[in-house]
């Protein structure tokens, strides 16, 4: 892994920037903030696009990730959207994606080494989305990037993009907020709390001190936390189509999640098998303490914090905004996105709320690139007037012949 500044080029593998002392919003600081990042394309001075990853994503938004610890959805997690000739075209834009502080893919976090040479563990300072934004601004300075052409983010990355409009309203021309909202609702807050308790009640968590070859990791707790997340990311329809009530067999259970004796009489269902597999696979690639830190950052975020309203928080932003929501997403709903769009309209921010008909749930922004790509591409290039961009406030803008891009009437949100 290279360190220091990466010269603009076609594509970089992950590099690490040492950004020096960093003070977190909590008031705590660390002497050297390390930020792992990857770049794609050529920088021309005014074509930089920052992509903000979702909760457990990495800097490897596209292309390749050669680190052995980066696998699954953390490698090339949006390669259907970012790349040569794709929606965010790296032949045209200089794309930067950074692993956020608190994560475990090369940036400073609980699993990284503290000044005494041991992993930070839970001594690492609490992190907020505001800290992510400030770290990204520092990284942009390190790379010689002043004003960003666009900041694009999905899920909690969409909150990160929103925070750019609040903290650095003069530094970004366009923001794209995909499957996100101004804050989490109480149901999601509760589910995240249960997920964290699955980790902290695993005896192997050991108060966050589980690093080292001689200590077991809290894989069972982290796997359960991820299982809760997967249920949040899927819709009822998608789960019904994917699993139904089908049995996977009575003898297929693994050892990670022991079953009670009576369970052997009953079928081990496909949905259980899927969740067990996803939980076990996730525990192999992610850090339990990082999961605690990042979910708390997401839960804490509130666009209006420190302001009278969401509109007041966004009032200084003079750029343009695209909000993408998905009808089957109950984690970040279309109603939440419409509320955010209304906040933008109240302070005259040119905004389009583009609703995508989908039964895939929250995962739609990752698994339906054919519906996400066209509006993102056209908005990044042309703003709200982009051909494939529709808005709930307009009944007249027809994007193309694909009905998935048809405008959604504002009456939908008054029911």
């Amino acid at each position: 892994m290279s360190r220091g500044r990466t010269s603009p080029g076609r594509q970089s593998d992950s590099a690490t920037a040492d950004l020096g002392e960093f003070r977190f919003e909590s008031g705590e600081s660390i002497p050297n903030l390390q930020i792992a990042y990857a770049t794609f394309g050529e920088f021309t001075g005014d074509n930089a696009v920052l992509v903000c990853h979702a909760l457990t994503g990495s800097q490897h938004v596209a292309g390749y990730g050669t680190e052995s610890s980066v696998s699954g959805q953390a490698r090339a997690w949006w390669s259907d959207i970012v790349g040569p000739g794709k929606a965010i075209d790296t032949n045209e834009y200089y794309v930067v994606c950074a692993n956020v502080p608190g994560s475990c893919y090369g940036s400073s976090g609980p699993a990284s080494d503290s000044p005494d040479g041991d992993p930070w563990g839970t001594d690492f300072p609490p992190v907020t989305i505001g800290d992510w934004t400030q770290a990204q601004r520092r990284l942009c300075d390190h790379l010689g990037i002043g004003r960003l052409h666009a900041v694009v983010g999905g899920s909690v990355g969409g909150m990160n993009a929103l925070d750019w409009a609040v903290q650095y309203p003069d530094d970004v021309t366009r923001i794209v907020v995909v499957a996100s909202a101004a804050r989490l609702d109480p149901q999601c807050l509760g589910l995240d709390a249960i997920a964290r308790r699955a980790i902290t009640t695993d005896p192997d968590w050991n108060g966050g001190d589980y690093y080292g070859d001689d200590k077991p990791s809290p894989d069972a707790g982290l796997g359960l936390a991820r299982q809760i997340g997967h249920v949040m990311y899927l819709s009822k329809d998608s789960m019904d189509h994917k699993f139904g009530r089908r049995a996977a067999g009575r003898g297929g259970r693994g050892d990670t999640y022991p079953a009670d004796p009576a369970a052997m009489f009953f079928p081990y269902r496909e949905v259980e098998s899927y969740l067990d597999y996803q939980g076990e696979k996730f525990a192999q690639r992610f850090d339990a303490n990082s999961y605690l830190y990042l979910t708390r950052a997401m839960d804490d975020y509130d666009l209006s914090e420190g302001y009278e309203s969401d509109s007041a928080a966004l009032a200084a932003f003079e750029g343009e905004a695209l909000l993408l929501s998905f009808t089957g997403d109950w984690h970040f709903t279309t109603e939440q996105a419409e509320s955010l769009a209304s906040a933008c309209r109240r302070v005259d921010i040119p905004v389009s709320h583009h609703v995508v008909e989908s039964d895939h749930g929250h995962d739609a922004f990752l698994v339906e690139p054919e519906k996400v790509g066209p509006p993102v591409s056209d908005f990044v290039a042309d703003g709200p007037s982009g051909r494939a961009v529709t808005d709930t406030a307009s009944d007249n803008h027809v994007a193309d012949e694909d009905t998935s891009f048809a405008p959604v009437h504002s009456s939908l949100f008054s029911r």
Side-chain angles (χ1 to χ4, degrees):
M1 179 181 295
S2 61
R3 295 189 176 273
R5 180 171 176 172
T6 297
S7 300
R10 296 312 309 162
Q11 175 172 320
S12 77
D13 196 358
S14 184
T16 303
D18 185 339
L19 302 182
E21 183 177 4
F22 187 84
R23 182 171 296 276
F24 294 83
E25 289 190 339
S26 66
E28 299 182 44
S29 63
I30 61 174
N32 296 98
L33 177 67
Q34 305 285 318
I35 293 295
Y37 68 96
T39 62
F40 309 82
E42 300 281 356
F43 185 46
T44 62
D46 61 358
N47 69 334
V49 175
L50 175 69
V51 177
C52 305
H53 65 70
L55 189 70
T56 63
S58 74
Q59 62 273 29
H60 296 291
V61 62
Y64 53 82
T66 58
E67 290 89 337
S68 60
S69 62
V70 179
S71 62
Q73 288 187 350
R75 177 186 287 134
W77 54 269
W78 225 15
S79 60
D80 289 324
I81 299 296
V82 178
K86 297 180 181 178
I88 302 177
D89 190 350
T90 53
N91 290 327
E92 182 174 357
Y93 301 110
Y94 180 58
V95 176
V96 180
C97 186
N99 188 223
V100 298
S103 189
C104 55
Y105 289 127
S107 291
S108 296
S112 62
D113 288 342
S114 67
D116 66 10
D118 294 325
W120 281 99
T122 53
D123 289 332
F124 193 77
V127 298
T128 66
I129 289 178
D131 293 325
W132 301 352
T133 306
Q134 292 176 39
Q136 291 161 347
R137 177 65 270 177
R138 293 263 294 268
L139 175 64
C140 288
D141 293 340
H142 173 82
L143 294 173
I145 299 169
R147 185 174 174 85
L148 288 159
H149 177 72
V151 178
V152 182
S155 191
V156 70
M159 292 175 164
N160 195 171
L162 277 175
D163 196 55
W164 266 88
V166 176
Q167 289 204 58
Y168 302 104
D170 297 326
D171 291 358
V172 57
T173 302
R174 293 175 179 140
I175 61 169
V176 180
V177 179
V178 183
S180 193
R183 62 194 59 80
L184 283 187
D185 62 26
Q187 183 181 40
C188 291
L189 291 175
L191 289 168
D192 281 347
I194 297 169
R196 286 191 293 270
R197 288 166 188 166
I199 294 171
T200 58
T201 56
D202 184 330
D204 291 334
W205 181 64
N206 193 32
D209 180 18
Y210 53 82
Y211 301 106
D213 294 338
D214 60 335
K215 298 178 181 178
S217 299
D219 291 347
L222 178 58
L224 285 174
R226 186 58 168 180
Q227 289 186 24
I228 294 169
H230 270 283
V231 173
M232 295 170 71
Y233 304 152
L234 299 173
S235 69
K236 278 184 174 292
D237 285 344
S238 64
M239 293 189 77
D240 187 53
H241 295 156
K242 193 176 185 72
F243 311 113
R245 290 177 51 83
R246 294 184 296 274
R250 286 179 168 79
R253 292 177 176 85
D255 297 327
T256 305
Y257 307 105
D260 60 284
M264 299 309 295
F265 175 77
F266 299 97
Y268 179 55
R269 299 191 186 279
E270 285 188 2
V271 64
E272 294 180 82
S273 177
Y274 168 83
L275 292 173
D276 286 348
Y277 171 76
Q278 293 296 335
E280 291 171 3
K281 185 172 70 171
F282 181 70
Q284 295 171 7
R285 76 166 175 92
F286 211 72
D287 177 62
N289 282 334
S290 285
Y291 201 82
L292 299 177
Y293 274 68
L294 301 186
T295 57
R296 287 199 184 278
M298 177 171 62
D299 290 6
D300 178 72
Y301 183 74
D302 187 335
L303 175 62
S304 65
E305 184 176 0
Y307 297 89
E308 294 182 355
S309 65
D310 291 345
S311 294
L314 293 166
F317 180 56
E318 295 185 355
E320 300 169 325
L322 172 65
L323 313 176
L324 256 71
S325 68
F326 301 83
T327 55
D329 185 358
W330 61 271
H331 186 24
F332 289 113
T333 66
T334 55
E335 289 82 4
Q336 288 173 299
E338 182 63 14
S339 176
L340 183 55
S342 297
C344 291
R345 292 171 188 137
R346 281 192 289 270
V347 288
D348 298 323
I349 294 173
V351 61
S352 292
H353 176 197
H354 183 105
V355 179
V356 176
E357 291 288 339
S358 172
D359 65 0
H360 278 285
H362 186 59
D363 271 351
F365 83 97
L366 294 171
V367 302
E368 294 190 287
E370 72 282 1
K371 296 181 179 180
V372 173
V376 169
S377 176
D378 287 1
F379 178 84
V380 170
D382 300 318
S385 63
R387 179 174 177 269
V389 179
T390 67
D391 182 26
T392 54
S394 171
D395 293 340
N396 301 316
H397 189 164
V398 178
D400 54 34
E401 294 180 359
D402 186 341
T403 57
S404 65
F405 299 121
V408 176
H409 296 268
S410 57
S411 60
L412 171 66
F413 302 97
S414 61
R415 293 176 185 170

